[in-house]
Amino acid sequence: NEFYDIKIDFEKTKIKDLNNKIEEYIKNKENEFIAIVDESGKVQTSKYNLIINTETKEFKNLVSTHVLTFYFTGGAHYVREDITHVYNVDEKKYINFSGLLIKDSEDLLKNVVLKYLYKYGEEKGILFNDWQVEDGTKITDKNYENFYLDNNGLNILFPPYQVASWADGEIKIEISYDKLKGILKEEYLDNDSNTSIDTIIKPGSRD
């Protein structure tokens, strides 16, 4: 289209219901995006863009799909949205972050998360705002909706603006299983416990 570009990269999972849920989400995002373009009068000097990518991880009985959406309809930079669906194959149901946790382990987890997060900041030269970190790391399903488990541990993704600025990009911490004893339910623990922290590059700002 001369006014906008749409790029969708969705590789189906082995879970039919999960595929249907993601396909519905993508379709809704496309419709919303096209409606915004139509309402704008299509006068933007730069093309509007919608980009949606998915990534699926499998570990034990869990299938986790992260859906990453970027769209540009004017302004300083892209808008980003993240959503992750985690499906328990054995129980045939979706689980949220709190479903991983032992009862009353939230304070223990919060301390571990803060340790990893500030270590990440030191390594990357990020100056966190304490109030933003405090709000963005409260143990709620919303704050921790983007997670998955793998052989190394619990991976938690904080999108831009949740605990740091847009310029700092997304922040992903990986907490090894040996630090999660007494926090994760036994069924989600694994004997391997390697630790690493990394980040993924975000699209650049639009002038």
Side-chain angles (χ1 to χ4, degrees), residues 118-158:
Y118 281 110
K119 179 182 177 183
Y120 177 93
E122 290 176 2
E123 293 176 350
K124 300 296 182 179
I126 297 174
L127 297 176
F128 291 113
N129 289 317
D130 290 341
W131 64 266
Q132 189 176 21
V133 170
E134 175 62 27
D135 188 59
T137 59
K138 288 179 181 177
I139 308 300
T140 66
D141 285 329
K142 179 61 178 175
N143 277 345
Y144 292 84
E145 67 177 325
N146 296 298
F147 73 92
Y148 65 89
L149 296 171
D150 63 14
N151 290 328
N152 297 320
L154 170 64
N155 296 263
I156 302 169
L157 171 68
F158 297 107

Side-chain angles (χ1 to χ4, degrees), residues 17-59:
D17 186 76
L18 179 56
N19 293 335
N20 291 340
K21 183 182 289 288
I22 295 171
E23 287 172 348
E24 181 180 3
Y25 175 85
I26 291 173
K27 188 62 178 178
N28 288 337
K29 286 299 175 186
E30 285 187 89
N31 291 338
E32 291 172 9
F33 172 76
I34 292 172
I36 291 172
V37 175
D38 289 341
E39 290 172 7
S40 73
K42 303 175 182 177
V43 296
Q44 194 68 31
T45 55
S46 299
K47 267 194 172 185
Y48 298 101
N49 290 283
L50 173 66
I51 304 167
I52 301 178
N53 298 310
T54 68
E55 183 178 16
T56 297
K57 305 281 189 178
E58 296 186 22
F59 179 72

Side-chain angles (χ1 to χ4, degrees), residues 171-183:
I171 294 173
K172 187 174 74 173
I173 60 175
E174 182 177 271
I175 304 174
S176 59
Y177 287 108
D178 63 314
K179 302 296 191 299
L180 295 167
K181 293 177 181 178
I183 297 174

Side-chain angles (χ1 to χ4, degrees), residues 166-205:
W166 172 270
D168 293 318
E170 72 175 29
I171 294 173
K172 187 174 74 173
I173 60 175
E174 182 177 271
I175 304 174
S176 59
Y177 287 108
D178 63 314
K179 302 296 191 299
L180 295 167
K181 293 177 181 178
I183 297 174
L184 288 191
K185 294 177 181 177
E186 187 67 28
E187 64 194 277
Y188 298 119
L189 288 174
D190 191 82
N191 291 327
D192 295 329
S193 57
N194 298 315
T195 304
S196 65
I197 299 177
D198 61 6
T199 187
I200 299 175
I201 298 173
K202 58 170 180 43
S205 298

